[in-house]
Amino acid sequence: QVQLVESGGGLVQPGGSLRLSCAASGSISRPNVMGWYRQAPGEQRELVATITSGGTTNYENSVKDRFTISRDNAKNTVYLQMNSLKPEDTAVYYCNFRYLLLTYWGQGTQVTVSS
């Protein structure tokens, strides 16, 4: 089992920045993939960004030039630096951990971009 604890969400004005963190604990095996997904009201959950334990990253096109995903393998923690936030980035952001066929989710953290 893997437990994921997210932090860092909140309310920010358009153009602002937030940094999300997700700490994993439990049976952490490698190689693995950690990432962030988001779900806006009435919408399906969608990929935001992922990063492998080797450091390879993948981004959804609309965030590619604004968000940066990183991880600290020693701390089993993944980060999402979000800059130039837009109202359409408003959603619940979920941390994700994948190892082989196993997938785990965090409880989600709300990000609201509004003036």
Side-chain angles (χ1 to χ4, degrees), residues 57-114:
T57 59
N58 179 52
Y59 293 92
E60 193 273 327
N61 282 338
S62 70
V63 308
K64 192 172 295 186
D65 297 325
R66 301 183 294 121
F67 294 5
T68 301
I69 191 169
S70 61
R71 64 187 289 169
D72 184 334
N73 285 335
K75 297 180 179 179
N76 292 318
T77 299
V78 64
Y79 306 96
L80 185 68
Q81 177 66 43
M82 304 185 292
N83 298 328
S84 302
L85 282 160
K86 304 175 181 180
E88 51 263 43
D89 295 317
T90 295
V92 178
Y93 283 69
Y94 294 92
C95 180
N96 175 269
F97 176 96
R98 285 187 285 126
Y99 172 70
L100 299 179
L101 297 180
L102 299 173
T103 299
Y104 300 92
W105 293 95
Q107 79 283 359
T109 185
Q110 177 70 45
V111 171
T112 302
V113 185
S114 175

Side-chain angles (χ1 to χ4, degrees), residues 29-51:
S29 300
R30 294 176 194 161
N32 59 59
V33 182
M34 296 187 74
W36 294 93
Y37 291 69
R38 66 186 180 187
Q39 187 167 19
E43 301 289 334
Q44 289 188 334
R45 192 172 297 188
E46 65 174 4
L47 169 74
V48 177
T50 62
I51 183 167

